[in-house]
Amino acid sequence: MKLLTLLEVGDLGGLVIMIILIMLFGALLISAIVTSFIKLVYELKDGRKFSKKQFIQTMIICLLICGLISGYICGGGI
């Protein structure tokens, strides 16, 4: 019912914000999974340690790549 009430307001600004937030949380989830996989592979070799700074940098790089891919898809590049 809340979604219907949101859509009855007139403009679809709330719906657009919800779609953007869903895409953002999806990108965060995908980036966390990819970064965890990269951390696992990095730490398996020679007993190296993956620091918190490296984790954050890798996550930001993954988020940027997700943003580029979603922008290319949503922008009509495909």
Side-chain angles (χ1 to χ4, degrees):
M1 279 304 203
K2 295 286 185 185
L3 182 62
L4 184 61
T5 306
L6 181 66
L7 293 175
E8 289 176 355
V9 173
D11 62 66
L12 298 176
L15 183 64
V16 171
I17 290 172
M18 285 188 336
I19 291 171
I20 290 171
L21 287 175
I22 289 171
M23 289 174 64
L24 182 64
F25 285 127
L28 281 170
L29 180 67
I30 290 170
S31 295
I33 291 170
V34 169
T35 305
S36 297
F37 179 73
I38 291 171
K39 177 183 177 184
L40 179 72
V41 169
Y42 184 81
E43 289 182 347
L44 281 177
K45 286 188 173 184
D46 302 329
R48 296 182 284 186
K49 189 70 178 158
F50 202 72
S51 68
K52 187 175 181 179
K53 182 180 177 183
Q54 286 174 318
F55 188 85
I56 292 171
Q57 287 175 342
T58 308
M59 186 118 171
I60 289 173
I61 291 170
C62 289
L63 277 172
L64 289 172
I65 292 171
C66 284
L68 285 172
I69 292 170
S70 69
Y72 185 70
I73 292 171
C74 295
I78 291 181

